[in-house]
Amino acid sequence: MNAPERFEMFVLPDGVRKIEILKDAKMANCLQFNIQREDHTLANILRYRLLKHPQVLFAAYRMPHPLEYYVELKVQTTPRTTPVDVVKEAIQSLMLEYGNIRSAFDNELYRMEAVVGNAGRRPDVRVGGFGAMDTSTSDFGVSSNLNTRNDRSDDVDIDF
């Protein structure tokens, strides 16, 4: 079969930069960000956050081809700021927001574990949440100090 390997969607090849910035010659104060190994998930939320910024005149993205694993994000701003600055600000804002959501989820998970304890739980099912996630430091470099357990594994066990 001619399908590319699945890992190619996620693994950044050696020598390739995660973000490439290109100047748009057709529009003033506009840059194109080519973000490698990302898809609609990141691009759409980033575009949405950029459009909420008062200094952003235009923000859009596209995926050139389904088998090419990058997105092209185009951002135009007013002369008061630069596209790089508003993209950095949007990314930092999203990291803070999703870090807070993750912390709230982990806090609630640990609270429920304390309330429920081992009562009524099958011995073969853990209520550990996301096993591969290390909550001692979030993905965003913010220490959450929530990981007081050492029984997490790399699999996810969810019991509905």
Side-chain angles (χ1 to χ4, degrees):
M1 195 154 113
N2 291 331
E5 296 290 333
R6 284 191 173 264
F7 73 88
E8 290 181 12
M9 295 178 0
F10 308 106
V11 178
L12 195 62
D14 292 335
V16 176
R17 296 183 64 135
K18 180 70 174 175
I19 300 176
E20 179 184 16
I21 303 173
L22 306 171
K23 184 161 177 60
D24 189 331
K26 297 178 183 177
M27 296 192 312
N29 214 29
C30 182
L31 293 177
Q32 177 177 314
F33 299 84
N34 292 344
I35 307 171
Q36 296 294 323
R37 301 307 188 250
E38 295 296 343
D39 59 9
H40 296 285
T41 306
L42 174 77
N44 196 36
I45 193 72
L46 190 54
R47 177 197 60 86
Y48 177 76
R49 183 57 57 108
L50 286 165
L51 289 173
K52 291 176 108 181
H53 195 288
Q55 301 299 320
V56 173
L57 300 174
F58 176 82
Y61 79 92
R62 73 182 193 114
M63 291 191 65
H65 191 275
L67 296 177
E68 294 179 14
Y69 306 116
Y70 74 97
V71 294
E72 296 174 352
L73 176 70
K74 192 171 279 197
V75 180
Q76 182 182 22
T77 62
T78 63
R80 293 179 141 177
T81 188
T82 66
V84 172
D85 290 339
V86 296
V87 168
K88 282 182 182 179
E89 188 178 321
I91 291 171
Q92 290 171 346
S93 170
L94 288 169
M95 287 173 35
L96 179 63
E97 182 177 340
Y98 287 106
N100 290 340
I101 292 171
R102 179 177 169 179
S103 294
F105 175 82
D106 286 340
N107 285 338
E108 185 64 17
L109 181 66
Y110 294 137
R111 188 184 73 75
M112 289 303 297
E113 286 180 341
V115 169
V116 173
N118 288 331
R121 191 179 327 157
R122 294 187 340 221
D124 61 326
V125 177
R126 277 191 320 109
V127 185
F130 297 102
M133 292 171 54
D134 177 14
T135 58
S136 61
T137 302
S138 73
D139 295 336
F140 314 119
V142 179
S143 178
S144 60
N145 296 324
L146 296 174
N147 192 12
T148 58
R149 299 171 31 157
N150 292 324
D151 64 342
R152 294 186 179 240
S153 64
D154 287 338
D155 60 341
V156 178
D157 296 327
I158 300 174
D159 187 23
F160 290 106

